[in-house]
Amino acid sequence: MSFLTYILINLNILFVFFTLPDLSQSSMYSDMVNVFHENGHKVFPMAPTNNKEIKSIILNEQGIDVLRVKTRDIFSKDLIQKGIANVLLPYQYKKAFSKFWKQQSFDLIIVATPSVMFADFVSYAKKKTGAKVLLLQKDIFPQNAVDLGFMKKDSLIYNFFKKNEIKLLKTADKIGCTSEGNKNYLLKHNLFLKNENLDIVYNSTKLLKKNLEDNSLITEKYNTVGKFVVVFGGNMGKPQQLENVLQLAKNTSIYKDVLFLIIGKGTEVDELKKEVQNMNLSNILFVDKVPREEYFNLLSNCNLGLISLHQDFTVPNTPMKLNDYLNAGIPVLASIDRGNDLGNILINNKMGLFAYADSPDELFLAFKELYLNKEECFDIGKNGNKFCHENLSAEKSYEKIINILN
């Protein structure tokens, strides 16, 4: 059965994810599953269980049966334990699939990286069901781990993961990339891929609407009245090169109304707080993770959204925080590696400015250009919001995926 023939009917779709919150919670993957379900397709998501004490089990979430797979701790801080947990994934997924959905027919398998360790399982499921495979290439591993020094190129562990990456790419009938840079990187470094089988599928979520009634409550709660607020939200680890964020805060301390809000958690948070004290920075406020709707309303009352990526990356990377900033209608200031096309996306769509992560002084100059032109920032924010609604909603990703299959 061809793609064109079978997308004209409702599909049975197997989703294979490395992480998936309860489908009642908004996230890139839960929103994707829900929007396919809302459009009449029968969806079968697989993801690790959130309860480490139980065996693999099917749970009904938002009227959808989700196969929660019993795994080891795939997010362990112990790199050896984390590695073992990831190596075991294909066997655990195959076992759970065979137990619960062995007799189920599928038309399409949608799998997202991470993890490349799904290669064996997806290949098995494809052969067993005859389904087509759409790979959503969200990151490029193991190269990103090499870039940050977590493993050496051509080491045994690198070659092991690289073998799985290649198998997953070859198993896919179609590949959705997060940007043109992401797509071009894959084509350049995997000569077996064909251009016509790759397309752009941006990161996406269900978009939120501003609650103007909460503005005064938000500004009072976070003491941002009269401030030019620069927000950095999301994970804080080595990939974010957070020393650039602190350097920017130090450089901008000459402007007494500038306040940095750093929201979220991560492996580097404690060290970051210590460094703030060492640098005697008084223009930074740390905020723990807040509920999604409150976080969005908080973003909507900020002036600038900050993205920071490590200068050693060689792979294009589009962080999810970009979606939140654009949805909130605020300009974006990005510090990125030289292999990333995020800067081009911002400039071409007039959504913000960028500098390379190995040039923190240039980042300050870009900040100053935005800070000193506050009226222009309003238009930049509107441009970003327009781009977001035209490209980054879960509904737009659904339409894009259907078009790709067509």
Side-chain angles (χ1 to χ4, degrees):
M1 184 181 294
S2 71
F3 266 144
L4 180 60
T5 301
Y6 89 174
I7 67 166
L8 297 178
I9 60 176
N10 291 337
L11 305 177
N12 288 348
I13 306 174
L14 176 66
F15 287 90
V16 183
F17 293 133
F18 184 72
T19 180
L20 180 71
D22 188 283
L23 294 184
S24 63
Q25 301 176 29
S26 180
S27 75
M28 176 164 53
Y29 297 136
S30 57
D31 290 346
M32 178 179 294
V33 170
N34 284 325
V35 77
F36 270 88
H37 177 66
E38 291 163 6
N39 279 276
H41 303 285
K42 195 166 184 180
V43 295
F44 299 83
M46 293 183 70
T49 176
N50 296 320
N51 186 338
K52 302 306 178 184
E53 302 302 321
I54 63 175
K55 298 180 179 180
S56 294
I57 189 173
I58 288 182
L59 299 176
N60 189 275
E61 302 173 15
Q62 298 294 97
I64 297 171
D65 285 340
V66 180
L67 178 47
R68 292 290 179 180
V69 182
K70 172 68 175 177
T71 68
R72 298 183 68 162
D73 187 1
I74 55 178
F75 298 108
S76 174
K77 293 182 179 180
D78 185 318
L79 293 182
I80 294 178
Q81 293 301 320
K82 183 177 181 179
I84 293 173
N86 278 268
V87 168
L88 291 176
L89 278 180
Y91 308 103
Q92 294 162 332
Y93 271 60
K94 182 178 179 180
K95 181 179 179 181
F97 178 86
S98 298
K99 179 178 180 181
F100 293 99
W101 288 339
K102 186 176 183 179
Q103 304 303 320
Q104 177 62 50
S105 63
F106 293 99
D107 305 297
L108 177 65
I109 300 171
I110 296 181
V111 56
T113 58
S115 161
V116 297
M117 290 310 301
F118 287 136
D120 282 345
F121 169 69
V122 171
S123 178
Y124 159 80
K126 179 179 181 179
K127 290 176 182 177
K128 182 170 180 59
T129 64
K132 299 293 185 179
V133 174
L134 170 64
L135 169 63
L136 299 177
Q137 188 73 21
K138 299 300 183 182
D139 66 0
I140 298 177
F141 179 86
Q143 184 57 48
N144 55 5
V146 173
D147 292 343
L148 296 183
F150 292 132
M151 67 176 69
K152 293 183 178 180
K153 196 159 190 175
D154 295 327
S155 63
L156 286 175
I157 189 170
Y158 169 84
N159 289 329
F160 172 75
F161 284 121
K162 185 65 180 178
K163 180 181 177 181
N164 279 275
E165 179 198 20
I166 291 173
K167 183 173 183 178
L168 187 57
L169 290 170
K170 287 184 174 180
T171 300
D173 297 283
K174 297 286 184 180
I175 300 175
C177 306
T178 57
S179 71
E180 286 291 342
N182 184 280
K183 175 184 174 181
N184 293 334
Y185 183 95
L186 285 178
L187 289 171
K188 179 180 179 180
H189 292 87
N190 301 279
L191 299 181
F192 55 86
L193 294 176
K194 296 180 180 180
N195 181 65
E196 59 266 28
N197 290 336
L198 279 68
D199 213 319
I200 307 302
V201 180
Y202 292 114
N203 294 333
S204 65
T205 57
K206 288 273 189 181
L207 301 184
L208 297 178
K209 295 182 179 180
K210 298 179 183 179
N211 188 344
L212 299 179
E213 295 179 358
D214 287 347
N215 281 358
S216 59
L217 295 176
I218 288 292
T219 54
E220 289 176 10
K221 179 176 180 179
Y222 294 97
N223 196 27
T224 61
V225 178
K227 299 289 187 179
F228 184 91
V229 184
V230 183
V231 62
F232 179 92
N235 187 52
M236 284 172 269
K238 186 174 181 180
Q240 282 70 48
Q241 193 166 337
L242 295 166
E243 56 265 36
N244 280 357
V245 176
L246 298 189
Q247 184 61 47
L248 181 62
K250 179 180 180 180
N251 290 341
T252 59
S253 62
I254 60 174
Y255 303 115
K256 300 307 178 183
D257 63 334
V258 172
L259 173 67
F260 282 73
L261 278 183
I262 300 182
I263 306 171
K265 297 181 178 180
T267 58
E268 301 295 311
V269 173
D270 291 338
E271 287 299 318
L272 196 65
K273 290 180 178 178
K274 290 179 183 177
E275 191 61 25
V276 167
Q277 291 182 335
N278 293 336
M279 296 173 68
N280 196 29
L281 295 175
S282 60
N283 60 347
I284 293 180
L285 175 64
F286 286 93
V287 180
D288 287 338
K289 188 175 181 180
V290 296
R292 176 165 165 74
E293 290 192 6
E294 181 178 335
Y295 174 65
F296 178 71
N297 287 330
L298 177 55
L299 289 184
S300 301
N301 284 275
C302 294
N303 300 92
L304 195 60
L306 184 60
I307 289 173
S308 180
L309 295 172
H310 203 285
Q311 66 186 45
D312 291 339
F313 275 131
T314 61
V315 294
N317 179 17
T318 309
M320 271 301 297
K321 58 173 63 70
L322 173 69
N323 295 48
D324 291 327
Y325 296 160
L326 298 181
N327 188 19
I330 59 176
V332 177
L333 177 63
S335 173
I336 60 175
D337 54 281
R338 292 185 178 270
N340 204 322
D341 64 332
L342 175 58
N344 294 335
I345 296 173
L346 293 176
I347 297 298
N348 292 342
N349 294 282
K350 299 180 179 179
M351 303 185 300
L353 298 177
F354 79 99
Y356 291 117
D358 55 9
S359 303
D361 290 341
E362 296 293 327
L363 184 66
F364 173 59
L365 292 177
F367 167 86
K368 191 160 63 171
E369 182 174 343
L370 293 168
Y371 175 79
L372 296 177
N373 294 278
K374 295 181 178 64
E375 291 185 6
E376 184 180 342
C377 281
F378 180 76
D379 292 330
I380 293 173
K382 287 177 63 177
N383 294 337
N385 187 258
K386 180 175 182 289
F387 179 89
C388 182
H389 280 80
E390 291 177 351
N391 298 281
L392 306 183
S393 71
E395 292 79 8
K396 291 294 182 182
S397 281
Y398 168 77
E399 293 172 7
K400 182 69 173 183
I401 289 172
I402 292 301
N403 287 334
I404 289 174
L405 302 183
N406 201 16

